Amino acid sequence: APALPRLPEAPAAHTVLNLREYETIARGLLDPIFYDYVAGGARDEVTVRANEHGFARLGLLPRMLRGSDTRDLGVTLFGTPSSLPVFLSPTAFHRLAHPDGELATARAAAKAGVIMTVGMASTTSVADVAAAARQAVPDRAPALWFQLYLQPDMAVTRALVRRAEAAGCTALLVTVDSPVLGIHERNKRNGFNDLPPGVVCENLRDLTGSEPGHIRQIAMSADLGWDHLDRLREMTSLPVVLKGVLHPEDGRIAVAHGVDGLLLSNHGGRQLDTAPATVDLLPDMLAAVAGRVPVLLDGGVRRGTDVVKALALGATAVGIGRPVVYGLAAGGEDGVRHVVDLLREEIDHTLALCGATAPRDLTPDLVRTVPAVP
Ligand code: FNR
């Protein structure tokens, strides 16, 4: 197994101008095997590229002279307030990126007032993550969601749900796009198939098996059906958000099964390669759901303009995955904080230029399909 990454020197924040620069910095700091794990995707990585390209093929058509000097970027998502229409999507194994791991991410998210999704495959327990968030901002309840791979063993599912509830998580993101794991040829080439010694999936401790917290305890099962979701639904009063549905018909079925929201996601191109860009699928999904539940989106969001495009098309909020891990690798808590703050400034600036004062002012007519600019 590869060694833990060396502790990176935090770059002076003012020298980093945008999220893509954080990828370049992280690439220079991370063990190449871990960088490939984060940056890579399934097979030819067509979907990885498609997500960003989807945003590049949309232009923003601004409105003028609407006369307002104040903007409010805040939204409330399933009862949890967020200072931005952006949340941290779940990403596994933060201790591969930085020794402080998920604790650093949680502190940054709490101080920035955005929601962090704690992955089932986090390398710090959800209880410890919640404690770090509470400590970082004592006067506010931690804004944490918990991501769960739907498990065939309902006892394991129940134990994980209880851990998330006990930690104070306010929603469950249930990932359903992984009946089998995506094949990442970079990981195969690098021989990366185990976590380094001492790094384990803390949420899985004492659940099953003889190897506590071993990644192989996460069951990927192609045998799961909508009835499993129904049983999860009965298990908790937390809002349930389904992550990874792409087909509009699945959106309709999910709503019929009582989900509280959808996260339109192709797992950042890490599961089915050649799945379309999420932003291209958004209009059809919104039509299928017809306003019955909020639709969130992730995949390829790297700029405030990307966020504004997704919101204008009708998404309630968007998630960021890789940029968080890159910020973490580059500067621990400060790096994640800076990633969120860069996005905040860009969204605010974009709203001003579009003549909007809040996400609710954004409408689909502001978005036009344009030829891709080289
Ligand atoms: C992920 N993602 C993910 N999703 C999930 O439901 N459970 C998980 O454990 C993980 N783990 C994970 C690790 C890493 C390193 C990455 C990059 C991604 C997918 C993630 O939640 C999200 O859907 C995508 O990352 C969004 O795309 P961008 O923002 O990375 O382009």
Side-chain angles (χ1 to χ4, degrees):
L4 280 171
R6 66 198 161 86
L7 183 64
E9 286 287 323
H14 67 271
T15 63
V16 188
L17 297 180
N18 59 59
L19 269 53
R20 287 195 175 88
E21 289 187 352
Y22 268 109
E23 169 160 12
T24 310
I25 293 163
R27 184 178 200 156
L29 291 166
L30 281 174
D31 182 316
I33 293 175
F34 297 157
Y35 170 77
D36 273 350
Y37 164 71
V38 177
R43 308 286 184 183
D44 286 320
E45 303 183 344
V46 169
T47 299
V48 177
R49 295 191 297 281
N51 279 340
E52 289 192 39
H53 195 64
F55 285 109
R57 277 191 292 95
L58 298 175
L60 277 171
L61 198 60
R63 301 295 305 272
M64 305 302 160
L65 297 173
R66 290 189 159 190
S68 173
D69 197 27
T70 54
R71 286 173 296 283
D72 179 6
L73 307 187
V75 292
T76 297
L77 303 170
F78 311 106
T80 306
S82 168
S83 69
L84 280 184
V86 173
F87 59 93
L88 310 194
S89 280
T91 46
F93 317 142
H94 286 194
R95 286 187 57 211
L96 296 185
H98 192 279
D100 296 343
E102 288 83 3
L103 296 177
T105 316
R107 291 181 189 118
K111 290 180 187 171
V114 296
I115 298 164
M116 170 185 177
T117 313
V118 182
M120 174 172 165
S122 66
T123 46
T124 313
S125 73
V126 62
D128 289 350
V129 174
R134 251 187 220 103
Q135 216 168 31
V137 185
D139 57 335
R140 215 187 304 138
L144 297 174
W145 293 340
F146 187 76
Q147 175 266 332
L148 188 73
Y149 285 105
L150 205 52
Q151 295 295 290
D153 183 339
M154 277 295 147
V156 173
T157 302
R158 185 173 290 107
L160 286 164
V161 170
R162 293 293 168 258
R163 285 177 186 189
E165 289 173 342
C169 293
T170 56
L172 295 176
L173 259 62
V174 181
T175 305
V176 291
D177 61 12
S178 309
V180 293
L181 263 191
I183 301 295
H184 295 199
E185 293 180 4
R186 297 199 210 197
N187 292 349
K188 276 194 165 185
R189 179 71 58 218
N190 294 335
F192 178 53
N193 41 37
D194 256 325
L195 295 175
V199 179
V200 297
C201 297
E202 293 291 348
N203 296 319
L204 302 174
R205 263 192 200 279
D206 312 319
L207 286 189
T208 53
S210 54
E211 294 175 279
H214 198 281
I215 181 179
R216 278 194 271 274
Q217 286 181 257
I218 299 179
M220 297 293 171
S221 173
D223 199 29
L224 295 172
W226 290 100
D227 53 315
H228 283 84
L229 182 68
D230 294 339
R231 291 165 69 192
L232 172 71
R233 186 62 289 183
E234 290 159 10
M235 207 179 272
T236 180
S237 55
L238 288 178
V240 170
V241 180
L242 219 54
K243 177 174 189 281
V245 289
L246 295 172
H247 198 297
E249 192 53 35
D250 282 342
R252 255 182 233 112
I253 296 172
V255 172
H257 281 263
V259 302
D260 298 277
L262 295 177
L263 170 46
L264 182 61
S265 171
N266 53 33
H267 218 114
R270 299 166 74 85
Q271 283 299 109
L272 173 65
D273 195 28
T274 76
T278 47
V279 73
D280 289 338
L281 296 173
L282 183 58
D284 281 355
M285 186 58 83
L286 287 164
V289 168
R292 287 172 292 177
V293 298
V295 176
L296 319 179
L297 170 147
D298 74 17
V301 173
R302 300 293 179 267
R303 282 287 190 185
T305 46
D306 298 336
V307 176
V308 168
K309 288 170 192 177
L311 297 181
L313 289 173
T316 302
V318 303
I320 48 172
R322 292 180 183 84
V324 174
V325 185
Y326 297 143
L328 181 65
E333 177 187 334
D334 292 346
V336 176
R337 181 73 200 269
H338 194 216
V339 162
V340 175
D341 285 344
L342 283 170
L343 219 38
R344 182 190 315 281
E345 185 279 327
E346 290 183 19
I347 296 166
D348 183 68
H349 190 244
T350 304
L351 285 185
L353 286 171
C354 287
T357 61
R360 66 172 175 280
D361 294 342
L362 300 167
T363 44
D365 55 291
L366 304 187
V367 181
R368 294 292 166 92
T369 304
V370 294
V373 176

